[in-house]
Amino acid sequence: VQLAALPPETIVDTLKTQDPFGVRTFETKLLETESRQQRFLSLSELQSLFPCPNDGERITLPDQRNHDKARAFRNGTEPYFLFFQHLRKAGGTNFC
């Protein structure tokens, strides 16, 4: 939220020179861990490396997630539609 109040050129510079959302840190940890273990990580292992923000840190409140649909998606038990409401960085390569 603090970044949004800055001039555009400052935002771009900050995103280029810093890692305010921990994205590059996560990518590095992910590559190192999966390489060391020689396998893809489970969901719980991914969450320990890159947890979703706490409610107090979320930008989009109230929480609009449908937890029943997410559970159905994970279990493969019924038709589902998922919409991810927040991204960690532009481009959406890492998101919750």
Side-chain angles (χ1 to χ4, degrees):
V1 175
Q2 294 172 347
L3 281 175
L6 299 173
E9 61 276 357
T10 305
I11 295 171
V12 170
D13 184 55
T14 299
L15 293 175
K16 284 181 179 178
T17 60
Q18 300 175 31
D19 191 14
F21 302 112
V23 173
R24 287 187 293 276
T25 302
F26 166 72
E27 289 173 344
T28 300
K29 287 181 184 177
L30 177 62
L31 289 173
E32 288 172 353
T33 304
E34 287 185 338
S35 295
R36 186 175 58 253
Q37 296 186 14
Q38 297 183 352
R39 64 178 175 82
F40 294 115
L41 300 183
S42 68
L43 177 61
S44 61
E45 291 171 315
L46 288 172
Q47 289 173 330
S48 70
L49 289 178
F50 189 68
C52 288
N54 298 324
D55 285 346
E57 297 172 337
R58 292 173 59 100
I59 296 173
T60 51
L61 291 174
D63 187 351
Q64 298 292 318
R65 294 175 293 173
N66 182 324
H67 295 280
D68 294 331
K69 296 288 185 182
R71 191 174 306 106
F73 173 77
R74 286 191 298 274
N75 296 333
T77 57
E78 62 183 67
Y80 43 79
F81 174 79
L82 293 180
F83 174 77
F84 295 98
Q85 77 184 68
H86 66 273
L87 302 176
R88 283 292 190 164
K89 70 177 189 179
T93 55
N94 293 307
F95 57 91
C96 295

